[in-house]
């Protein structure tokens, strides 16, 4: 199945610092989703991107999908302890049919005081 | 409140003892799916269902069964659990499989001894 590569695998940042997480595919992405997961809990939807060059923001989190629709980045500005968790990207690599979402392996974010 | 409900939240069992993890959604979603999450492997899809009476294998279906007799319910059945099925399981649903965000349950932590 299609693989999504996430980087870095883990990240430790000091509170107040900015950070970026990347999600890369070898195929065109027809829908790119970002989720956040608190340890051992369910996934919470953050944002969905569909168009090349699209950018969305929610509070201090901004997600972008590149023009070629093969890479997305998630940027957190002025990180806070509440941002800690696992961030996962999920993607659709076909426009129709029975192909469901595939997920990256996640990026574990820790925010320290 | 719109939600996906999984039960139980935690389960410890022994090898070979049949078990069922229930999943129910109250959003009239057509698409439902089961994932397992393991350290270093990320989220992997077990089975999914496009609609009532329609189910398909995901990436790791061996050792699992599902059924979709009603739109709202999508139970995961382990006929003869083995220790390698110890994992965190998530049920998810959406209106359709394409261009729709997935709603996730809170997860079921299963330990097979």
């Amino acid at each position: 199945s299609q693989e999504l590569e996430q980087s870095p695998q883990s990240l430790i940042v000091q509170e107040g610092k900015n950070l970026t997480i990347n999600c890369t595919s070898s195929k065109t992405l027809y829908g790119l989703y970002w989720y956040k997961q608190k340890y051992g809990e369910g996934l919470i939807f953050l944002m969905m991107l569909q168009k090349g060059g699209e950018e969305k923001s929610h509070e201090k989190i901004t997600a972008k999908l590149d023009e070629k629709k093969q890479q997305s980045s998630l940027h957190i500005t002025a990180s806070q302890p509440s941002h800690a968790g696992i961030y996962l990207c999920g993607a659709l690599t076909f426009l129709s049919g029975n192909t469901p979402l595939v997920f990256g392996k996640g990026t574990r974010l820790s925010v320290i005081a | 409140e719109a939600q996906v409900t999984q039960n139980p939240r935690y389960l410890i069992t022994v090898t070979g003892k049949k078990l069922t993890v229930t999943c129910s959604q109250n959003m009239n979603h057509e698409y439902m799916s089961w994932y397992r999450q393991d350290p270093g492997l990320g989220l992997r899809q077990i089975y999914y269902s496009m609609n009532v009476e329609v189910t398909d294998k995901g990436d790791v279906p061996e050792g699992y069964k599902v059924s979709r007799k009603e739109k709202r319910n999508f139970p995961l059945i382990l006929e003869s659990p083995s220790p390698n099925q110890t994992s965190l399981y998530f049920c998810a649903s959406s209106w359709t499989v394409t261009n729709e965000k997935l709603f996730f349950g809170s997860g079921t932590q299963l330990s097979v001894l």
Side-chain angles (χ1 to χ4, degrees):
Chain A
S1 62
Q2 166 66 18
E3 280 197 9
L4 289 177
E5 295 290 331
Q6 273 189 250
S7 62
Q9 288 185 342
S10 63
L11 193 54
I12 302 173
V13 299
Q14 195 168 21
E15 184 175 356
K17 297 294 185 182
N18 303 337
L19 63 104
T20 300
I21 299 169
N22 293 302
C23 178
T24 303
S25 169
S26 59
K27 296 183 179 181
T28 299
L29 303 173
Y30 293 101
L32 190 289
Y33 302 74
W34 283 101
Y35 285 85
K36 179 187 175 184
Q37 181 185 19
K38 289 286 190 182
Y39 181 73
E41 298 181 10
L43 281 69
I44 298 172
F45 172 80
L46 295 175
M47 279 170 273
M48 179 181 78
L49 305 166
Q50 291 180 275
K51 301 175 183 177
E54 187 176 8
E55 179 176 319
K56 288 187 177 178
S57 294
H58 177 67
E59 297 180 344
K60 294 185 178 181
I61 300 176
T62 301
K64 300 177 185 179
L65 182 61
D66 73 338
E67 289 289 344
K68 292 173 65 177
K69 295 178 33 173
Q70 288 185 287
Q71 184 172 26
S72 178
S73 61
L74 186 81
H75 185 76
I76 299 177
T77 302
S79 58
Q80 300 169 353
S82 61
H83 289 128
I86 300 171
Y87 290 81
L88 293 102
C89 62
L92 287 168
T93 53
F94 292 92
L95 276 175
S96 62
N98 293 340
T99 303
L101 278 181
V102 292
F103 286 88
K105 294 181 179 179
T107 296
R108 184 180 293 271
L109 172 64
S110 300
V111 180
I112 57 176
Chain B
E1 180 188 356
Q3 59 184 358
V4 178
T5 303
Q6 284 180 239
N7 280 297
R9 184 74 175 86
Y10 301 95
L11 180 58
I12 301 174
T13 189
V14 295
T15 299
K17 187 176 181 180
K18 180 179 178 180
L19 67 91
T20 299
V21 184
T22 63
C23 175
S24 180
Q25 48 92 6
N26 62 0
M27 296 168 278
N28 203 35
H29 285 168
E30 292 186 346
Y31 177 81
M32 297 186 75
S33 179
W34 276 104
Y35 291 87
R36 61 177 287 175
Q37 186 178 37
D38 303 286
L41 298 176
L43 273 174
R44 293 181 293 168
Q45 190 176 51
I46 303 170
Y47 269 95
Y48 62 97
S49 170
M50 304 290 284
N51 212 326
V52 177
E53 301 293 359
V54 180
T55 62
D56 281 294
K57 296 178 180 179
D59 295 324
V60 288
E62 294 77 21
Y64 304 94
K65 287 175 59 178
V66 292
S67 68
R68 188 89 183 273
K69 297 178 181 176
E70 304 168 281
K71 202 170 190 178
R72 63 182 293 129
N73 296 322
F74 190 45
L76 179 69
I77 303 159
L78 284 71
E79 294 273 4
S80 183
S82 61
N84 64 13
Q85 292 178 299
T86 293
S87 186
L88 179 58
Y89 291 86
F90 289 104
C91 179
S93 74
S94 66
W95 287 107
T96 63
V97 72
T98 56
N99 299 327
E100 294 285 345
K101 71 176 185 180
L102 279 175
F103 290 80
F104 281 84
S106 298
T108 296
Q109 180 64 60
L110 172 65
S111 296
V112 183
L113 306 178

